Amino acid sequence: MQHPEVESLDRDGILKLQREGLAGLGARLAQCDTWKAHFAQAGMTPEDLASEDGLANAPFMDKSLLRDLYPFPFLTVPMDKVERFVATSGTTGLPVTFGMTKNDLHSLLPSQMARLLTAAGVKPGFRAYQGYGYGLWIGGPALDAGFSAVGCTNFPIGPGRGELAARWLRDHAYDVASMSPLWLMTLVQAAKHQGINPRTDWTLKVAILGGQSVSAEFRAQLEAEMPEGFMSHNIYGTTEAGGPILAISTPFTHADDELQLLNEDTVIVEILDPKTMKPVSEGEVGEIVITTLRKEASPVVRWRTRDLVRLSPRPYDCPSGRRGMRKIGRIIGRTDDMIKFKGVIVFPSQIEDVIAGIPGLAKEAWQIYVDKEATTIGKMTVAVEAVAASQRPGEDAAADVRREIKARLGINVNVECHREGELPRYEAKATRVLHRPEATH
């Protein structure tokens, strides 16, 4: 444990820290007119967060609320106290900016990241290939901060340059890599095309995979390509939370395909039914809603991430000794990525599970095409790629995908099989659902 005095607390100990954090957060927000107006709409003041039911009655936040206050929504410190801005991807409108003070960037973030990385098995002295993006995106700076705090030697390569990166993984002897899982699988193929065998020529021990969740089947296939003992871990967070700081899988949760919320002393995570906005029970699916307790420049209160996750049936029994911080499943999907097709709710992760189990297909390259930009669609096509080396006819693989989707989800979809290399590769977060006027063509 990086911080055993916190990580070993029981649930009551964590809740006590959260209550103290809410009281301090309410006092800070009470100094900001924008925050006072936000709480007033719910008949509250920010100081009400200190009461027992204060958070449960506080108003929610989402991107539409922040965009109404463009360009610096809910900035809680003077501009001269902001050291850096980060931003959301802006895939559904203008990117939303979030400020970070010196403390946010150089104290809070490194501490949060180091805790997650240590739990995943990253050790001092590791050589780190940092493959997340930079610029306004928080991914790269967050991993830089975490690797530094743990004591790693960092190679901040960022995304791209696949052929060179595949060689550097051999020549530089990296121990840990942080990047999109799809990009790591792409690098495996790039290595093989150059006569490099990742299993024997690379020295990776750990991968920190984010940007999107991956199925257990995909993860198992990726790990089979790697050196003996290699383990991949999903990491999860959001720009609004302050980075990929919310949860990570560990050697203790890996087999159960679960992650652990390891920073619940600094970020409150509610898992709420998206319809009722009430807490879900153990084993149930809900939307992740976050409240940042320690962020100074751009805190959020009850921020709706739109990410759906299953609360573990046994959230407090981790054999690591971290029994006060809950376990969750991998991210199932997003409420705004949900497709309703012929009365059936479909998430891209369910399609990925099918493709990952079909031999002869590229696991990192597939798409869903829908015929209109709406959550209820009339036509859906799944596009896959046949791997030439498998020598398996593409029509056979496509038939398997079609049959398996029908068996698992009860729906008939169009499946088209492309030649290897025709579908997009994603260096960061993949866009799996695309609009196409005629999804059958």
Side-chain angles (χ1 to χ4, degrees), residues 332-385:
I332 295 170
R334 291 178 55 81
T335 57
D336 46 10
D337 278 347
M338 183 178 71
I339 302 167
K340 190 171 185 181
F341 179 65
K342 297 183 179 179
V344 177
I345 300 299
V346 180
F347 289 102
S349 60
Q350 294 172 303
I351 303 300
E352 182 196 53
D353 285 345
V354 169
I355 294 170
I358 303 296
L361 295 179
K363 309 309 179 186
E364 72 276 16
W366 55 274
Q367 293 290 156
I368 299 171
Y369 296 112
V370 298
D371 64 341
K372 60 182 179 179
E373 295 179 272
T375 55
T376 301
I377 63 173
K379 296 177 183 177
M380 185 167 78
T381 296
V382 176
V384 297
E385 271 188 11

Side-chain angles (χ1 to χ4, degrees), residues 87-108:
T88 59
S89 62
T91 54
T92 56
L94 280 171
V96 177
T97 57
F98 292 83
M100 302 184 76
T101 65
K102 181 178 181 180
N103 184 71
D104 292 337
L105 187 61
H106 299 294
S107 179
L108 179 60

